[in-house]
């Protein structure tokens, strides 16, 4: 028996659900081609960060694309001139063009922006390049004591709505898990126009270096243990929100991908394992998933998807609070 590994994500028909997420491994054409060779059915490019874009370049694009009078964030009185037109993040656009021309799989571009003007502008530029999808990577630490959770949520929703209005390409939104009401937030992101939710963004925690007494960025790659948070929310959201679900964080082995699919993921994304081991990690995970499905009598990924979501399991509370008490009370000290 062969297992039908196809899946749909952002309206794209994909040969399998295991794909690279945004990271340096999708940041140049050679790595991209190696990933496609290893079986990647689609690619998410690294994010284009608004901070990487020169302010002037943005202003020029902004005036040209949207019309200064047409948008509240437009610099007032700005008159675009084609003479000093600057395409801005040229390297990124070149990567998009090469990936689209050579990769033979759908290419999803990623944007990380702060102002809604910046997001809208570059969403349009990338859509014009013909990307197959856009991922908005929203990374915000709500450190402002004057800003309530409702304010933060509204800012996310406005951003998604604004980009949704500006472009027709399928839109995925990558968020972190730190919302007081994740399920409601997921539903509202879908209503705001997200076709897919990528859960979860992995925030990097700064460390304190005791020798320099400085605060240092500290990038540690993930382990499979971090998948649990993602599993819980995939399982809760599957069948309850009108978006596709992409799992990111903690996918290292075939079994991790199996769990994500059973919980309800439409696609399963990898970064840390690819950074550590190269493209073969993607093949291994894909084969692990296929092998498990075959051994356990599944005909397709679609048949397995969500079969252990909260709506499908016999004890739905396992994904909520009752698990908490059971877990704590069942722990026995080893000494
Ligand atoms: C070095 C590095 C760079 C990354 N760059 C981006 C990025 O540009 N945009 C983005 O949305 N996520 C980025 N990520 C996050 C990954 O796409 C992924 O969501 C995260 O690492 C969790 O998946 P993993 O456990 O497979 O690593 C990056 C991760 C790493 C390790």
């Amino acid at each position: 028996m062969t297992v039908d590994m196809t899946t749909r994500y952002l309206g794209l028909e994909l040969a399998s659900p295991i794909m690279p997420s945004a990271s340096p491994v999708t940041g140049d054409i050679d790595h991209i081609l190696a990933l496609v060779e290893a079986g990647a059915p689609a690619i998410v490019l690294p994010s284009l960060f608004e901070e990487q874009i020169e302010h002037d370049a943005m202003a020029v694009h902004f005036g040209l694309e949207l019309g200064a009078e047409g948008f509240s964030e437009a610099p007032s009185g700005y008159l675009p001139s084609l003479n000093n037109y600057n395409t801005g993040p040229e390297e990124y656009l070149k990567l998009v063009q090469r990936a689209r021309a050579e990769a033979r799989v759908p290419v999803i571009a990623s944007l990380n922006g702060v102002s809604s003007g910046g997001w809208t502008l570059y969403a349009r530029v990338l859509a014009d390049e013909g990307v197959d999808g856009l991922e908005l990577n929203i990374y915000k630490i709500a450190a402002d004591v004057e800003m309530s959770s409702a304010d933060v949520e509204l800012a996310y929703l406005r951003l998604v709505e604004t980009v949704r209005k500006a472009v027709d390409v399928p839109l995925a939104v990558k968020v972190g898990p730190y919302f007081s009401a994740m399920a409601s937030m997921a539903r509202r992101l879908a209503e705001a126009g997200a076709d897919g939710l990528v859960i979860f963004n992995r925030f990097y925690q700064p460390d304190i270096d005791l020798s320099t007494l400085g605060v240092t960025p500290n990038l540690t790659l993930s382990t499979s243990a971090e998948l649990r948070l993602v599993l819980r929310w995939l399982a809760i959201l599957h069948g309850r929100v009108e978006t596709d679900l992409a799992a990111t964080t903690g996918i290292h082995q075939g079994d991790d991908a199996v769990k994500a699919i059973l919980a309800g993921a439409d696609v399963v994304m990898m970064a840390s394992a690819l950074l550590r081991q190269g493209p073969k990690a993607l093949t291994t995970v894909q084969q692990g998933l296929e092998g498990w499905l075959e051994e356990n009598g599944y005909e397709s990924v679609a048949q397995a998807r969500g079969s252990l979501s909260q709506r499908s399991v016999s004890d739905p509370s396992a994904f909520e609070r009752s698990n908490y008490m059971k877990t704590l009370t069942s722990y026995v000290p080893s000494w």
Side-chain angles (χ1 to χ4, degrees):
M1 186 183 81
T2 52
V3 180
D4 176 358
M5 294 290 284
T6 57
T7 191
R8 276 181 78 77
Y9 178 58
L10 303 181
L12 304 163
E13 198 66 53
L14 304 182
S16 105
I18 314 296
M19 58 187 281
S21 65
S23 91
V25 296
T26 56
D28 68 77
I29 195 68
D30 293 337
H31 284 90
I32 290 174
L33 295 180
L35 288 164
V36 173
E37 187 66 30
I43 295 283
V44 185
L45 300 178
S47 300
L48 172 62
F49 289 87
E50 192 178 314
E51 291 89 337
Q52 291 172 316
I53 301 162
E54 280 177 50
H55 181 76
D56 286 356
M58 263 180 66
V60 173
H61 266 307
F62 198 65
L64 285 173
E65 304 267 331
L66 300 174
E69 72 289 348
F71 217 82
S72 56
E73 290 104 327
S76 62
Y78 180 76
L79 290 173
S81 149
L82 271 176
N83 291 340
N84 49 10
Y85 181 72
N86 177 343
T87 54
E90 283 178 16
E91 289 306 313
Y92 196 83
L93 294 183
K94 274 188 210 152
L95 178 66
V96 169
Q97 286 157 0
R98 284 202 69 182
R100 286 202 63 247
E102 297 174 43
R104 304 183 318 276
V105 295
V107 174
I108 298 170
S110 168
L111 275 176
N112 181 295
V114 184
S115 68
S116 57
W119 287 69
T120 314
L121 168 61
Y122 276 93
R124 284 197 174 184
V125 171
L126 292 167
D128 287 348
E129 283 299 334
V131 294
D132 299 283
L134 259 186
E135 187 175 286
L136 305 183
N137 164 19
I138 312 185
Y139 188 120
K140 181 168 175 54
I141 300 291
D144 182 347
V145 292
E146 301 296 333
M147 206 174 188
S148 70
S149 50
D151 296 335
V152 175
E153 289 170 12
L154 205 59
Y156 274 64
L157 297 170
R158 289 257 157 85
L159 215 52
V160 175
E161 275 166 7
T162 310
V163 176
R164 176 70 296 165
K165 279 192 196 123
V167 292
D168 286 335
V169 290
L171 206 58
V173 178
K174 185 171 182 178
V175 291
Y178 304 119
F179 291 100
S180 340
M182 184 67 224
S184 152
M185 190 59 193
R187 185 175 53 79
R188 286 188 293 153
L189 285 166
E191 285 166 2
D195 301 301
L197 283 182
V198 186
I199 57 174
F200 285 115
N201 224 336
R202 194 166 169 261
F203 292 150
Y204 297 102
Q205 316 299 350
D207 200 0
I208 290 178
D209 184 331
L210 291 180
S211 58
T212 62
L213 292 184
V215 178
T216 50
N218 187 359
L219 195 159
T220 46
L221 297 176
S222 73
T223 65
S224 292
E226 291 178 53
L227 176 62
R228 307 265 190 94
L229 179 68
V230 177
L231 288 181
R232 161 177 276 163
W233 285 105
L234 286 171
I236 290 174
L237 297 178
H238 176 78
R240 293 205 174 104
V241 287
E242 299 275 311
T243 64
D244 298 337
L245 295 173
T248 177
T249 296
I251 304 292
H252 291 259
Q253 298 157 21
D255 283 0
D256 299 330
V258 172
K259 292 176 191 178
I261 297 288
L262 294 177
D266 294 285
V267 289
V268 174
M269 296 183 172
M270 300 174 66
S272 290
L274 299 176
L275 284 160
R276 276 204 194 100
Q277 300 163 40
K280 70 173 188 307
L282 191 139
T283 317
T284 308
V285 169
Q286 207 172 76
Q287 288 171 349
L289 170 65
E290 190 168 3
W292 191 93
L293 292 172
E294 193 167 353
E295 276 163 33
N296 289 277
Y298 290 90
E299 286 171 14
S300 64
V301 167
Q303 190 189 8
R305 177 173 304 114
S307 56
L308 287 182
S309 70
Q310 194 181 30
R311 284 173 19 144
S312 307
V313 290
S314 54
D315 176 14
S317 68
F319 287 111
E320 294 181 29
R321 184 170 162 84
S322 81
N323 218 17
Y324 180 60
M325 189 196 74
K326 265 191 228 155
T327 311
L328 296 192
T329 53
S330 65
Y331 201 90
V332 181
S334 59
W335 52 275

